[in-house]
Amino acid sequence: MNIIIKFLSRIKIYLMRKYYYKKVIKRVGSVGTGLKVNGSSNVTKNTFLGNNVNFNGMKIEGLGKVSIGDNFHSGTECLIISSIHNFDKGNSIPYDRSYISKDIVIGSNVWLGSRVIILAGVSIGEGAIIQAGSVVVNDVPYCAIAGGHPAKVFKYRDIEHFEDLKLKNKFF
């Protein structure tokens, strides 16, 4: 009986991943090879993905362009928002019906922990890691490790080691 339950569970996981994958492929602006979608994920037509992108639960919304580089990994329940309400020069309070869109650029080899939120206009440099539960409102530099509310850089990766792994094509 246990074997049957395990088998059915694996089939369910396989079918759900296939469903999530097709949902992303149907809407995305472009995508490289090796996309993996392991959790419920939504993208916009203004989303552009590199190679070996791994979504474990990603929601991308807004009207701005979102570019994600190669070898990207997200934790569960991540959110990227590329538009904000017009609150400053709008026709009503607290905001009006128009949106201000700002592009988001995420470099290659970036890892977002679970429940990371990235807001409009942010760039995240290659090799950066964003700690789980962080809210990214400012740019994050190359190989930086950032976290918090708002996310702040608190450490950097071992860049020599990072570059060595890149040269050897050691990607997860």
Side-chain angles (χ1 to χ4, degrees):
M1 188 68 150
N2 264 347
I3 294 171
I4 294 171
I5 292 171
K6 284 182 183 179
F7 177 72
L8 292 174
S9 177
R10 287 181 191 221
I11 289 175
K12 179 182 175 185
I13 290 168
Y14 170 79
L15 291 174
M16 292 304 294
R17 286 179 178 167
K18 194 169 185 171
Y19 169 76
Y20 298 144
Y21 174 86
K22 286 184 177 184
K23 191 173 167 186
V24 169
I25 288 293
K26 186 176 177 181
R27 299 206 61 200
V28 72
S30 71
V31 62
T33 61
L35 173 67
K36 294 176 192 74
V37 185
N38 298 315
S40 180
S41 298
N42 295 305
V43 298
T44 69
K45 65 180 181 179
N46 293 325
T47 303
F48 300 88
L49 307 176
N51 298 312
N52 193 32
V53 169
N54 292 267
F55 288 161
N56 290 303
M58 172 65 71
K59 184 174 184 181
I60 299 174
E61 57 185 41
L63 304 171
K65 180 179 176 182
V66 176
S67 300
I68 298 175
D70 297 340
N71 308 308
F72 170 86
H73 286 257
S74 78
T76 59
E77 299 179 18
C78 290
L79 176 62
I80 297 175
I81 306 170
S82 65
S83 294
I84 59 174
H85 288 285
N86 184 11
F87 62 88
D88 203 20
K89 306 283 185 193
N91 298 323
S92 59
I93 297 173
Y95 52 83
D96 67 13
R97 294 182 188 268
S98 63
Y99 291 94
I100 300 166
S101 297
K102 297 181 179 180
D103 295 345
I104 295 172
V105 177
I106 300 174
S108 293
N109 310 306
V110 169
W111 174 22
L112 304 182
S114 295
R115 295 188 173 175
V116 168
I117 299 172
I118 300 173
L119 298 182
V122 168
S123 290
I124 298 177
E126 179 182 359
I129 299 171
I130 310 299
Q131 186 180 47
S134 298
V135 179
V136 183
V137 300
N138 294 307
D139 293 351
V140 176
Y142 175 83
C143 284
I145 302 172
H149 310 273
K152 302 232 185 276
V153 174
F154 60 87
K155 186 177 176 179
Y156 283 85
R157 294 180 99 154
D158 178 337
I159 294 174
E160 187 177 313
H161 181 67
F162 175 79
E163 291 293 335
D164 184 52
L165 290 173
K166 265 180 39 178
L167 285 173
K168 293 176 181 173
N169 287 323
K170 299 283 186 174
F171 302 108
F172 181 75

